[in-house]
Every structure is written in C-alpha cells, then in structure tokens.
C-alpha cells in the first residue's frame, strides 16, 4: 500500500541526505496531473529503465581541488624559474640571475542548484514506485553539470578553445592532423616541442588522449593495436614515392577519455566533431586545467530536504509533508568552478587535415 511506498521513499531520501547516493531535482512544483501516463491506470504497466548516462571524465584530465575555502576569487600563483649555471674562473663571481617572472591563474566557485516539489497524492498514486528512484536518476544532473563545464574549458563553439589552443609565434599547441597513426605522432611531436618560457625543455610527455565521440572507435583502434603503420610519402608526378614503417605501438600507454559533451558545445559547421587532444598528467607540474569545489561539500552535491511541519496528534511526524499543501520539497546544491591554466600541458587538433 501507499504507507509502504512512503516508507521506502523516505528510506531512499535518507540515503541521499546521508551521502550514500547523489540526487538532483526538478525546477517546478508537480501534482498528479503533471504525469497522466505515469500516475494513470498502472495495473498492466511497467516502468522502463532510464537512459544510460555517460561517465564523467574531468577527474582524469583536470586537477581536482576539493578544498576551496570560500566564494572569493582563488589565485593560483607561480614563478617561472630555471637557469643554467655559467662557468667561472678562479676567484670570479658568477653572474646574478634576474628576478623570476611571476604570474597567476584564477577562478571562483559558484553555486548551481535545482529543486523538486511533489505532492503526497503523487506518492499515493505511484504504483510503479517511479518517484522512489527519481532522486538517484536525477542526481546524475549534478555530475553532468560539472562535466559540461569542464569540457567548455577545452572547446568553444568552433572547436578547440581559441583562447587556449593557438598556432602562432610563441605558442604552438594547435595542429590540424586527423586522428590516425601519423596524426598521433605529429601530436606527440608538437607536445614535446613545447618549451618553458625561458626556452628550456619541459621534460613532459602526454598522458591522456581526449577525443570527440565521433573518434571513439578510431582512438580505441589506435591505442589497442599491437603495431602501427607510419607513412613517409611524397607526391611527385601523380605518384606517391617513399616508404612506410611498421613499429610496435608506442601510444598504448595513453589513457583514453571520450568527451561526450563536446557536440553540445561545438556548434560550428565543419570538422569540429573530429577534434582530439593530447593532455599531460594534471597532477604533474602546473597542469592545463583545474576544477575546484567548495570545502565541506567537495565533489558530491549537497542534498537538502525541507522539514515537514505536519504532525499527527501525539507529536509523531505525519508522512504527508507540508501541513498546508501536503507536499514534499527537496533541493540539491553543487558549488564548483575552474579555469584554464598552462597551455604548455596540452595540444589540440581540430581534425581538419589541412
């Protein structure tokens, strides 16, 4: 009966509040008329499963800071150091090095939330127990919100983010190669060619291959192959002259991330859906991207339940929610922010092949 359903729903909500599962909530107050199919005649009905959700990837390629103190701007400061010693003669003093160049990256965390309000009558009519599973399924929204935000640091509407990926004097971390064996080799070459501001070697290698969904199978083929073919061909007189090399797969150690939210952000026509990225380990050096969460909440959303004010005579809380409207109200809050950091830890290709 409905009392059993209410008890099970309350147990589920308590699990959410205690942090055992995430939750996310709808914007508007709802009644039984909002779900005529779900809450109609259910004697010969069954509830279908939800869509499969894409896994989040930002934890792999972003540095995660779960200890942002407050809502004020967070400054990530750095010094560009590194010099070579010079040979000196006996009794001679070495040259005085200049003061290191300083800089900073910054961001502030912001609040994201949704709420849900549904009536006691809806729970009574819920023969399929659909509303008992809503907190868990809707909780995916919080994770999706962070994933989309992180992806927007990588790409803009035209493809690889124009403010971060460039091919110009002083910054070359944007190429045009398609994702294949030769393109991957060109990407690693571009990554290794990047230097510190003073011209010294970075001594970093890519650790992550992030791709648009359209390139997922191509990426899996490349990283899973035991051997790769590399072409070294020139075209002359309508003939290709040169040779090919077959080598063991040096790229198998790259970790693959599929950016499922990329097509939702990249809207320009063209090869944007074939963008791919080589990224450094976010926990080594400065890293390219950072996502921060408010201290005390972390990367799990905060789920709140409005306290019921209806009581049965005798002081026992009534399972009908609000005294006036017989409704239940919940809110989920997530607090996070992030920024682009050092472009030297990332190389992108727009996949145009030009």
């Amino acid at each position: 009966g409905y009392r059993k359903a209410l008890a099970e729903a309350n147990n589920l909500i308590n699990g959410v509040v205690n942090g055992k599962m995430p939750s996310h909530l709808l914007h508007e107050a709802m009644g039984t008329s909002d779900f005529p199919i779900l809450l109609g005649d259910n004697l010969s009905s069954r509830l279908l499963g939800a869509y499969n959700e894409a896994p989040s990837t930002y934890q792999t390629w972003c540095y995660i800071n779960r200890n942002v103190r407050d809502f004020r701007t967070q400054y990530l400061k750095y010094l560009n150091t590194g010099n070579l010693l010079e040979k000196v003669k006996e009794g001679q003093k070495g040259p005085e090095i200049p003061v290191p160049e300083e800089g900073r990256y910054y961001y502030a965390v912001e609040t994201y939330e949704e709420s849900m309000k549904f009536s006691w009558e809806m729970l009574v009519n819920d023969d399929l127990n659909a509303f008992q599973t809503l907190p868990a399924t809707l909780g995916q929204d919080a994770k999706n919100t962070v994933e989309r935000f992180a992806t927007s640091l990588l790409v803009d509407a035209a493809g690889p983010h124009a403010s971060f990926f460039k091919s110009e004097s002083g910054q070359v971390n944007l190429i045009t190669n398609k994702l294949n064996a030769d393109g991957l080799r060109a990407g690693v070459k571009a990554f290794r060619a990047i230097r510190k501001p003073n011209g010294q070697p970075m001594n970093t290698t890519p650790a992550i291959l992030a791709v648009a969904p359209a390139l997922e199978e191509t990426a899996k083929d490349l990283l899973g192959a035991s051997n790769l073919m590399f072409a070294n061909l020139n075209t002359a007189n309508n003939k290709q002259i040169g040779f090919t090399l077959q080598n063991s797969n040096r790229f198998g150690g790259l970790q693959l991330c599929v950016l499922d939210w990329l097509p939702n952000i990249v809207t320009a026509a063209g090869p944007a859906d074939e963008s791919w990225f080589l990224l450094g380990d976010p926990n080594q050096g400065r890293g390219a991207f950072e996502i921060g969460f408010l201290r005390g909440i972390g990367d799990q959303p905060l789920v709140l339940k409005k306290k019921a004010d209806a009581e049965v005579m005798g002081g026992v809380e009534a399972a009908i929610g609000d005294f006036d409207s017989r409704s239940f109200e919940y809110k989920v809050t997530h607090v996070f922010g992030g920024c682009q950091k050092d472009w030297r830890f990332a190389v992108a290709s727009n996949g145009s092949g030009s």
Side-chain angles (χ1 to χ4, degrees):
Y2 75 87
R3 292 188 181 276
K4 179 180 179 181
L6 287 173
E8 292 175 350
N10 284 333
N11 289 336
L12 179 61
I13 297 301
N14 288 333
V16 174
V17 174
N18 293 330
K20 295 180 180 179
M21 61 170 53
S23 174
H24 216 60
L25 309 169
L26 302 175
H27 282 293
E28 59 180 359
M30 298 175 295
T32 56
S33 62
D34 291 301
F35 296 91
I37 296 177
L38 186 62
L39 300 178
D41 186 2
N42 293 320
L43 294 179
S44 300
S45 304
R46 64 188 180 93
L47 185 65
L48 299 179
Y51 289 110
N52 290 331
E53 294 290 347
S56 60
T57 64
Y58 71 89
Q59 302 95 328
T60 301
W61 49 273
C62 294
Y63 177 80
I64 305 301
N65 177 13
R66 297 180 177 86
N67 198 36
V68 176
R69 296 179 58 184
D70 50 44
F71 290 93
R72 290 175 292 183
T73 300
Q74 309 298 307
Y75 293 102
L76 314 175
K77 301 178 181 180
Y78 63 83
L79 291 175
N80 287 328
T81 59
N83 294 278
L84 297 177
L85 303 182
E86 293 190 16
K87 183 173 62 176
V88 296
K89 296 180 180 180
E90 182 178 352
Q92 180 183 3
K93 180 182 177 181
E96 182 176 338
I97 63 174
V99 176
E101 175 188 358
E102 65 176 358
R104 65 184 183 181
Y105 311 109
Y106 58 89
Y107 66 92
V109 297
E110 297 180 279
T111 304
Y112 300 76
E113 71 176 30
E114 288 183 344
S115 61
M116 174 175 64
K117 186 176 183 180
F118 56 91
S119 70
W120 170 65
E121 287 84 354
M122 291 175 67
L123 288 180
V124 174
N125 290 345
D126 184 17
D127 293 335
L128 299 179
N129 296 327
F131 289 99
Q132 293 188 36
T133 60
L134 271 179
T137 56
L138 296 177
Q140 181 71 32
D141 287 352
K143 184 171 69 172
N144 287 343
T145 302
V146 183
E147 181 73 8
R148 190 191 188 284
F149 174 86
T151 306
S152 71
L153 300 177
L154 265 177
V155 298
D156 55 26
H161 208 295
S163 68
F164 195 72
F165 297 103
K166 302 177 182 180
S167 181
E168 59 187 28
S169 178
Q171 179 178 345
V172 181
N173 68 332
L174 176 65
I175 60 177
T176 61
N177 300 73
K178 292 186 176 296
L179 183 60
N180 51 37
D182 289 307
L184 200 53
R185 184 169 66 170
V188 173
K189 181 179 179 180
F191 198 102
R192 293 288 290 152
I194 295 174
R195 299 282 163 164
K196 295 179 182 178
N198 62 6
Q200 294 183 10
M202 288 280 293
N203 193 32
T204 57
T205 56
I208 299 157
L209 173 63
V211 302
L215 295 176
E216 179 178 2
E217 295 306 313
T218 300
K220 288 179 178 179
D221 289 342
L222 284 170
L223 300 186
S226 58
N227 293 281
L228 294 177
M229 298 289 293
F230 299 95
N232 288 272
L233 303 174
N234 293 315
T235 301
N237 298 323
N238 296 321
K239 295 181 179 180
Q240 286 188 328
I241 303 174
F243 59 91
T244 59
L245 297 174
Q246 180 173 340
N247 292 329
S248 59
N249 189 357
R250 305 188 301 272
F251 308 123
L254 292 173
Q255 185 170 355
L256 176 61
C257 289
V258 180
L259 305 171
D260 286 290
W261 284 93
L262 184 146
N264 296 75
I265 301 171
V266 179
T267 57
D273 198 36
E274 297 203 358
S275 299
W276 56 276
F277 307 83
L278 288 172
L279 307 172
D281 185 337
N283 298 305
Q284 298 292 327
R286 294 177 189 168
F289 306 98
E290 177 167 325
I291 299 294
F293 298 91
L294 186 65
R295 182 170 61 185
I297 297 180
D299 55 0
Q300 297 297 321
L302 179 65
V303 181
L304 306 172
K305 175 184 176 182
K306 186 176 181 179
K307 187 175 181 180
D309 58 2
E311 292 184 353
V312 178
M313 296 298 293
V316 180
E317 181 179 319
I320 64 170
D322 180 71
F323 180 83
D324 293 321
S325 62
R326 300 180 308 282
S327 62
F328 301 87
E329 188 171 357
Y330 305 93
K331 176 185 291 186
V332 61
T333 300
H334 218 5
V335 185
F336 65 89
C339 67
Q340 300 166 339
K341 295 196 294 186
D342 198 332
W343 63 266
R344 296 173 179 83
F345 291 85
V347 167
S349 175
N350 59 23
S352 65
S354 59

